[in-house]
Amino acid sequence: MQDHAQDPVWKQALAGSQMLLVAFGALVLMPLITGLDPNVALFTAGIGTLIFHLVTGGQIPIFLASSFAFIAPILAAKTRFGLEETLGGLMAAGLLYVALSAAIKLRGTGFISRLLPPVVIAPVIMTIGLGLAPIAVHMASGRTGDGSAVLVPYDTAIWVAMTSLLVTIVVAVWAKGIFRMIPIMFGVLVGYALSAVLGIVDTSPIAEAPWFAVPNFVTPEFSWSAVLFMLPVAIAPAIEHIGDILAIGNVTRKNYLEKPGLHRTLLGDGLATSAASMLGGPPNTTYSEVTGAVMLTRNFNPRIMWWAAIVAIVLAFVGKFGAALQTIPAPVMGGILCLLFGSIAVVGLNALIRNQVDLSQSRNLVIVGVTLVFGIGNLVLGQLEGIALCAVVAVVLNLVLPGSKEAWGKRVNEPATD
């Protein structure tokens, strides 16, 4: 096994740029959908990655970037509380990770499995993907994410969206090597080119933007309403984090849950998310696309990710680069999001299947069914709504309903006879 630790600096920097390219598509889609500044997202992803590596002792080849789990809550919170208070809620979500890290340090990881088993987390993850489906369809149809305004005529938009989607699918399924890791990039490029031919790209912001520009950092404000709205949303990304740490450990054949320890990796995620929110960036989390690239390139040197972070920070100060990202037409992103949001739902479904959750049991059927309807239907109870509400309801139902309980990879409290 090679770890490329002795590679010259220029080679590490080149490999880091490649890793950033892999994460880039999903990294910038998040801020573009939610109305955050993509240059700020690049900067905070770089800073967040460096914080993560500092906390974990630079032992894990991981790059942190925007989490899709927060898209719907950010859109809802911005409408309800404004951007500054939304950022305050996101900062609190990062601090929840810090609290979970401390709890794991004191009590171990067992209570996480009992509190957040597959029957709880899987439907919450499915809700994230399915709840975002209308946004993808609106954008693919040429409208804004909430469907309130038409940006591009439907006949033109649907051609652009379906072409972008088709190219993304083809590259994801049939491409070879590193190209298979960047299907979003190909989908955006082809969709953008087609949009330019059809005359729906406005490039004037690129010409007007300076080459060097400080990102539009935003300072958070705090309100209990926004904090209570955002805190429950952090549950699903926390579990996704555990899965990503296990996945990268399988690739490098190291047990990162023991060294540096799950408490440290979760602490790194939490501090990175809070730091990003302090500057106006989206929450940070570990990235499965980067794990795939590490597996493909066999490049296990964590310093590669340091260089990816540095390149991201440098790009954040290129004004024309951010302006170019913001000229990507909505149908291009909408077509790609039809695949990405569906993939999130499938991740949740796969968690149910792989952990053999028995949906013939009444308790499991109730938990999954109520969670899906509350989340996708965007039910509101007090300060909780949508994903936040369904996450809390799933946890509570799992704790109070009688019957055998499913754990990750095995069943606990199983009766002696079935």
Side-chain angles (χ1 to χ4, degrees), residues 345-363:
V346 171
V347 167
L349 181 62
N350 191 45
L352 288 175
I353 295 170
R354 291 189 64 180
N355 292 281
Q356 299 180 345
V357 176
D358 185 2
L359 294 179
S360 67
Q361 286 192 34
S362 296
R363 74 178 312 275

Side-chain angles (χ1 to χ4, degrees), residues 52-382:
F52 178 90
H53 281 267
L54 182 65
V55 171
T56 58
Q59 300 179 51
I60 312 174
I62 270 182
F63 183 85
L64 271 61
S66 320
S67 170
F68 277 172
F70 285 94
I71 289 177
I74 288 175
L75 290 172
K78 279 180 64 183
T79 302
R80 193 166 172 181
F81 309 111
L83 175 58
E84 289 78 8
E85 290 189 13
T86 298
L87 292 171
L90 292 171
M91 188 172 177
L95 295 178
L96 176 63
Y97 286 15
V98 175
L100 278 175
S101 166
I104 290 171
K105 174 68 173 175
L106 293 172
R107 300 189 55 189
T109 59
F111 84 98
I112 290 282
S113 296
R114 292 188 293 272
L115 184 66
L116 304 172
V119 73
V120 169
I121 293 304
V124 173
I125 294 174
M126 291 169 69
T127 296
I128 292 170
L130 297 175
L132 293 171
I135 296 175
V137 172
H138 286 318
M139 295 177 70
S141 302
R143 300 189 293 271
T144 53
D146 59 3
S148 61
V150 175
L151 303 173
V152 179
Y154 175 82
D155 290 343
T156 302
I158 203 68
W159 273 105
V160 171
M162 293 303 103
T163 300
S164 302
L165 173 61
L166 180 61
V167 169
T168 305
I169 292 172
V170 168
V171 174
V173 175
W174 282 290
K176 303 295 184 183
I178 196 66
F179 296 111
R180 193 170 185 172
M181 298 289 106
I182 50 173
I184 296 173
M185 186 71 68
F186 280 100
V188 168
L189 289 175
V190 173
Y192 194 94
L194 178 58
S195 299
V197 171
L198 295 174
I200 60 171
V201 177
D202 178 14
T203 58
S204 58
I206 304 175
E208 295 168 1
W211 279 103
F212 175 82
V214 177
N216 297 315
F217 297 120
V218 181
T219 306
E221 296 177 2
F222 299 94
S223 72
W224 280 112
S225 297
V227 168
L228 292 174
F229 177 85
M230 201 62 73
L231 277 181
V233 182
I235 294 174
I239 287 296
E240 289 178 331
H241 168 84
I242 297 171
D244 284 333
I245 294 299
L246 287 170
I248 192 69
N250 289 336
V251 171
T252 61
R253 297 179 186 174
K254 294 181 180 179
N255 188 350
Y256 296 123
L257 296 183
E258 288 187 2
K259 184 182 179 184
L262 180 59
H263 63 289
R264 284 202 176 192
T265 65
L266 204 52
L267 176 62
D269 253 28
L271 294 177
T273 289
S274 292
S277 303
M278 288 176 64
L279 298 171
N284 285 318
T285 187
T286 48
Y287 246 46
S288 56
E289 288 96 331
V290 174
T291 301
V294 170
M295 181 187 300
L296 182 71
T297 62
R298 314 299 292 172
N299 215 334
F300 302 142
N301 183 4
R303 291 184 183 178
I304 298 300
M305 302 306 173
W306 304 358
W307 283 105
I310 292 169
V311 173
I313 291 170
V314 171
L315 282 177
F317 289 89
V318 181
K320 287 188 182 295
F321 186 70
L325 292 175
Q326 292 177 318
T327 63
I328 300 173
V332 175
M333 294 190 291
I336 294 167
L337 293 178
C338 289
L339 173 62
L340 287 184
F341 292 163
S343 299
I344 295 172
V346 171
V347 167
L349 181 62
N350 191 45
L352 288 175
I353 295 170
R354 291 189 64 180
N355 292 281
Q356 299 180 345
V357 176
D358 185 2
L359 294 179
S360 67
Q361 286 192 34
S362 296
R363 74 178 312 275
N364 293 340
L365 183 62
V366 167
I367 294 170
V368 174
V370 172
T371 301
L372 288 175
V373 172
F374 278 22
I376 297 172
N378 203 37
L379 184 68
V380 179
L381 285 177

